[in-house]
Amino acid sequence: MKTKFIQLDCNNIDNKKIIEAAEILKQGGLVAFPTETVYGLGADGLNEEASGKIYAAKGRPSDNPLILHISSMKALDALTAGDCTLGRKLAEAFWPGPLTLIFKKSNLVPLTTTGGLDTVAIRMPAHPIAFELIRQAGLYIAAPSANASGRPSPTTAKHVIEDMDGRIDMILDGGSADIGLESTIVDVSADIPIILRPGYITLEDIIGITGEAEYDKGLLQKPESEDFKPKAPGMKYKHYAPRGQLTIYEGESKAVVRAINQAAEKKLKEGYRVGIIATDETLLSYEKGLIKTIGTRKDEKTIAAGLFKILRDFDGEQADYIYSESFYDNHLGQAIMNRLLKAAGYHIEKV
Ligand code: AMP
Ligand code: MG
């Protein structure tokens, strides 16, 4: 299949191109598009054949459900069942935005979309291209991250081309995704909101609206433990993995730098290619290897936005070993470390 590549200006969106992309979706095709979190791979979420193509293009396990993307609150009436008061409160506070809500599903939603679950994940994205595309198509768009399953999520159209060229109908390029981490997922199908995947919208943000919320207990377990049964099926898969082996160093900054320098020196001597994930603050303290900064600790948003890109960059440089600092700071720390730990297969050195 030849993949059509289209560039769009977010500040002046060419409506003809959006209509062309919307037509592909209406005919059951696949279109990758930018959102404020990461690039999504879209298809008609109620058309089982179309959403089946998403699983095939990504190599995604069929029990990993898809998020339906909407452009109007009215969609909640059609897609959900039961009492949605809790979810609507959060939707009103954070939509359009980087928050996915899990509701009891209506009969309209096929079980192939929800991986056999009786709940459905729904998000209204804020990115103008995503929003316009969904609106023009007049559909509920299933759109997981537009990466090959297991690889780091794409934050630029170039990343999407790497994984999806020749496998999908169209890629819309709208520049870099602002946030760079996937949406926060909150289950609102019971009485208390449960965070199934941490993201840009934090536990504190949710509690600010609903008065209470907690993390899914399964999420906090390590995958090797017996109790590791996260409620979001996707959270159990190895994810985000760069091709090289990633190790995260935890501890006081100077000790971390020293330990990473030692580990890098050793592997370089053995003839391996070594990548180091530094910050603007520590960049000059590293001595040898492929040294890259992920962002600045003065603004943790830059670290979130740089994470998947730096993992892909080290793939491009064929790093065999990658050493990273840890980023537990402030309010995005949970979301950043959730991705980084998975990328590292929970390989941690405490120093
Ligand atoms: P992605 O679209 O690639 O960001 O992945 C979607 C994530 O949402 C995966 O981790 C899924 O397991 C999760 N998800 C989707 N639908 C549900 C649902 N009904 N219940 C729990 N988790 C869900
Ligand atoms: Mg994904």
Side-chain angles (χ1 to χ4, degrees), residues 115-137:
L117 299 172
D118 62 358
T119 51
V120 59
I122 305 178
R123 174 164 106 87
M124 189 191 291
H127 194 290
I129 293 176
F131 192 89
E132 266 313 297
L133 178 62
I134 299 162
R135 204 181 62 76
Q136 281 284 359

Side-chain angles (χ1 to χ4, degrees), residues 12-25:
N12 185 14
I13 298 175
D14 181 343
N15 208 38
K16 274 211 247 44
K17 291 176 176 162
I18 295 286
I19 290 172
E20 191 185 338
E23 273 314 309
I24 293 176
L25 292 171

Side-chain angles (χ1 to χ4, degrees), residues 151 242-245 268 271-275 290 292 310-322:
R151 290 211 72 206
R243 296 193 175 102
Q245 199 210 295
L268 285 165
Y272 292 108
R273 294 175 69 82
V274 174
L290 307 157
K292 295 180 193 292
I310 208 167
L311 294 178
R312 280 183 179 258
D313 286 348
F314 280 129
D315 277 353
E317 308 226 28
Q318 281 143 21
D320 302 301
Y321 289 89
I322 305 165

Side-chain angles (χ1 to χ4, degrees), residues 60 64-65 67 102 117 119 121 144-145 185 196-197 231-234:
R60 184 176 175 104
N64 192 1
I67 298 172
I102 310 277
L117 299 172
T119 51
S145 47
I185 301 181
L196 306 190
R197 176 171 74 187
K231 277 186 82 182

Side-chain angles (χ1 to χ4, degrees), residues 28 30 43-56 66 110 112-113 142:
L30 299 183
D44 177 352
L46 299 188
N47 174 340
E48 298 194 53
E49 196 190 325
S51 47
K53 290 183 193 165
I54 292 181
Y55 287 96
L66 303 171
T112 41
T113 300

